Amino acid sequence: MSKEKSAPDATLTVEGKTYSLPVVFGTENDRAIDIGTLLQQTGYTTLDPGYKNTASCTSDITFLDGKEGILSYRGYAIEEIAEKCVFIEVAFLLVHGHLPNPTEYENFRQLLKRFALIHEDMIHFFDHFPPNAPPMAILSVMVNSLSSYYPEMSDDPLKTLDATAARLISKIRTIAAFTYKKSVGHPLVYPRPDLNYCGNFLNMMFDKPVHPYTVRPEAVAALNKLLILHADHEQNCSTSTVRLVGSAGVNLYSSISAGINALWGPLHGGANEAVVTMLETIHNDGDNFKKYIDKAKDRSDPFKLSGFGHRVYKTFDPRGKIIKEACDDLLEVLNVSDPLLDIARRLEEIALNDQYFVERNLFPNVDFYSGIIYRALGIPTNMFTVMFALGRLPGWIAQWKEQQEDPNGKIGRPRQVYIGEPSRPFVPMSKR
Ligand code: CMC
């Protein structure tokens, strides 16, 4: 962050009095008015529902420009990173701030291998969830429980962060795969040290005693790409949750567990599951696109086209573009034909040419095609948001770390404008 010497301060006039507020520039020309002294100077707060205009922090992790459709991690364009890196390289980049050299990469890989198992006692937890328990509920509980099994984090969190980050990144994959195996009643498949991060996950998900699973490089490549595309997205709902919870001094595991719960929502990470459910509904309704487009446009109907629109991107979602291509490639290589893909393509075409969607800058976001790829990989719909969490984890860790290290970091505590009853006398129960 730099405050340009030549940048004039912003002036604000309230009740006839003028106040000066510093202007702050980011490295990619983000501009902000620093209102840190506003309340103290003027007695006023700001009102910004949904934080549409509020930067909650400065950050050097992820940059995105919603108008131009740009996304970069630590300065590297998402298009290049998604093409040339594997997920754990990107995880290292986000957490450590630079791409790993060969030694750092090897050490990180070794840590991931070492930490791949979860404590055997934790495996009993899975048995006590009802059979149809949502995988996101299980994931958040299991991740929170890690704080009891690996409490060394609490003594000096930043000193042990490298190990804790690797532990979390490795274990969340095992927890996710075990959640699935338990839900279908199959024996657990333990992590294998000879497999890479994504291959290991797929093997733990799909290997069976009588039907050994073959890890296909195309599947590994597609999964790497999906996880990379989800790895960070600056101050979105779940990341802000992780930072807010962390700002109270809460340990990394529990802060991440809170983020998992925020991600679960259908307006956020839960959208990938909602997309496939919506496509199935349209398919089962005789491919009646018009009915659902009309519903989405009807303001009295709560229905929205899942996988369309974004709070920040107003031209296109660069992740959506990469995912669409990856989706076409994977389905071709695996020779999979999915009727839902045809519906998705058709829906996109109709929506992109409809005035309602054009005027509101609504176009497919990252979640629109990711579900089709997950289906092609064999991942069940109710695990889609868990997949998002696996991808987003390194971003959450990096953001939590940044928040903890911030010398100006304070406990998050927004203000409000009270609009309730004015002060009034208490009425005893007998007189109410
Ligand atoms: N279908 C139909 N109308 C929509 C949609 C949609 N998917 N999204 C927004 N609109 C309309 C909305 O009704 C409003 O119309 P009007 O101006 O007439 O009131 C206008 O577009 C602006 O929408 P908004 O709700 O004010 O926009 P927002 O920035 O608050 O919400 C959003 C962004 C992503 C929550 C929203 O577009 C949405 O609910 N999309 C569907 C869910 C989804 O795909 N979420 C995943 C987001 S990407 C993954 C992630 O990073 O979490």
Side-chain angles (χ1 to χ4, degrees):
M1 177 187 77
S2 67
K3 181 182 175 315
E4 303 260 315
K5 287 200 175 64
S6 58
D9 284 355
T11 51
L12 172 75
T13 305
V14 187
E15 293 175 4
K17 255 184 108 180
T18 300
Y19 301 91
S20 224
L21 295 166
V23 171
V24 169
F25 285 85
T27 42
E28 294 281 4
N29 213 24
D30 280 344
R31 284 161 296 171
I33 298 167
D34 179 349
I35 57 160
T37 59
L38 183 73
L39 180 61
Q40 186 196 341
Q41 280 200 72
T42 66
Y44 281 73
T45 57
T46 52
L47 177 62
D48 185 18
Y51 310 120
K52 284 193 168 194
N53 307 282
T54 298
S56 60
C57 60
T58 57
S59 177
D60 61 14
I61 301 170
T62 289
F63 171 70
L64 77 86
D65 179 333
K67 279 200 200 111
E68 301 295 331
I70 295 172
L71 172 64
S72 62
Y73 298 158
R74 304 282 191 189
Y76 298 103
I78 189 66
E79 290 79 5
E80 207 173 1
I81 291 275
E83 178 73 32
K84 298 180 179 159
C85 292
V86 292
F87 173 63
I88 60 165
E89 222 177 327
V90 175
F92 186 99
L93 168 70
L94 286 168
V95 175
H96 296 273
H98 62 274
L99 284 166
N101 64 30
T103 313
E104 288 170 324
Y105 183 62
E106 190 46 36
N107 289 343
F108 189 48
R109 266 171 32 99
Q110 292 307 328
L111 277 182
L112 295 177
K113 273 185 200 175
R114 172 139 56 96
F115 293 138
L117 285 167
I118 55 171
H119 195 293
E120 281 291 305
D121 287 354
M122 287 184 75
I123 291 172
H124 302 303
F125 293 6
F126 291 106
D127 299 331
H128 301 286
F129 285 96
N132 293 326
M136 284 297 273
I138 301 177
L139 190 72
S140 86
V141 166
M142 297 302 276
V143 168
N144 202 13
S145 306
L146 291 173
S147 58
S148 315
Y149 285 87
Y150 306 97
E152 73 287 349
M153 177 89 212
S154 1
D155 304 335
D156 189 349
L158 290 173
K159 207 165 149 202
T160 49
L161 190 81
D162 287 3
T164 313
R167 187 172 273 139
L168 246 173
I169 292 169
S170 194
K171 290 190 193 311
I172 199 171
R173 169 190 55 171
T174 310
I175 291 170
F178 283 10
T179 301
Y180 170 65
K181 283 293 194 194
K182 282 283 181 184
S183 75
V184 287
H186 292 173
L188 299 180
V189 176
Y190 281 74
R192 268 176 38 191
D194 58 311
L195 292 175
N196 58 38
Y197 187 87
C198 289
N200 222 330
F201 172 73
L202 291 169
N203 190 63
M204 282 192 271
M205 286 284 288
F206 302 122
D207 191 52
K208 293 184 210 145
V210 276
H211 295 293
Y213 177 76
T214 306
V215 179
R216 290 187 63 164
E218 299 86 359
V220 168
L223 186 53
N224 265 302
K225 192 167 276 188
L226 275 180
L227 296 184
I228 290 171
L229 292 174
H230 286 92
D232 196 47
H233 213 235
E234 52 119 296
Q235 308 311 317
N236 55 80
C237 178
S238 56
T239 301
S240 300
T241 301
V242 169
R243 287 184 85 122
L244 189 63
V245 172
S247 79
V250 173
N251 71 75
L252 178 66
Y253 301 113
S254 302
S255 303
I256 299 287
S257 171
I260 291 170
N261 288 324
L263 186 74
W264 192 359
L267 296 187
H268 189 14
N272 54 15
E273 188 176 332
V275 168
V276 167
T277 308
M278 174 186 77
L279 295 175
E280 280 169 348
T281 308
I282 297 176
H283 188 45
N284 296 335
D285 201 359
D287 293 349
N288 191 348
F289 301 101
K290 189 173 177 314
K291 175 174 164 189
Y292 291 90
I293 296 271
D294 288 347
K295 269 168 78 64
K297 286 158 58 174
D298 181 355
R299 294 188 69 183
S300 64
D301 188 324
F303 177 81
K304 283 189 176 178
L305 275 196
S306 292
F308 268 72
H310 199 273
R311 166 60 60 81
V312 186
Y313 294 120
K314 296 302 171 199
T315 43
F316 67 96
D317 180 342
R319 305 166 302 171
K321 221 171 154 187
I322 302 171
I323 281 190
K324 189 178 177 188
E325 281 169 26
C327 184
D328 289 341
D329 293 351
L330 183 73
L331 264 59
E332 195 183 322
V333 178
L334 297 185
N335 201 14
V336 174
S337 135
D338 187 342
L340 295 198
L341 179 63
D342 299 332
I343 295 176
R345 286 194 186 117
R346 192 79 186 91
L347 205 58
E348 176 182 1
E349 194 185 311
I350 297 172
L352 292 183
N353 290 299
D354 186 302
Q355 211 43 31
Y356 172 93
F357 294 91
V358 175
E359 273 169 9
R360 290 169 178 76
N361 300 310
L362 301 171
F363 43 80
N365 57 46
V366 69
D367 289 323
F368 194 62
Y369 284 102
S370 59
I372 312 256
I373 303 190
Y374 288 137
R375 272 163 68 90
L377 295 176
I379 292 164
T381 313
N382 70 351
M383 286 289 291
F384 288 0
T385 314
V386 169
M387 301 306 299
F388 194 154
L390 251 61
R392 184 54 53 88
L393 179 63
W396 285 334
I397 296 172
Q399 300 270 356
W400 184 91
K401 179 175 176 231
E402 186 176 70
Q403 196 275 328
Q404 299 288 314
E405 286 172 340
D406 183 353
N408 301 315
K410 299 201 182 320
I411 185 167
R413 204 311 186 179
R415 306 295 293 226
Q416 64 166 17
V417 176
Y418 176 69
I419 56 162
E421 293 287 343
S423 176
R424 51 182 168 165
F426 176 77
V427 183
M429 193 174 290
S430 57
K431 299 208 169 136
R432 279 178 228 157

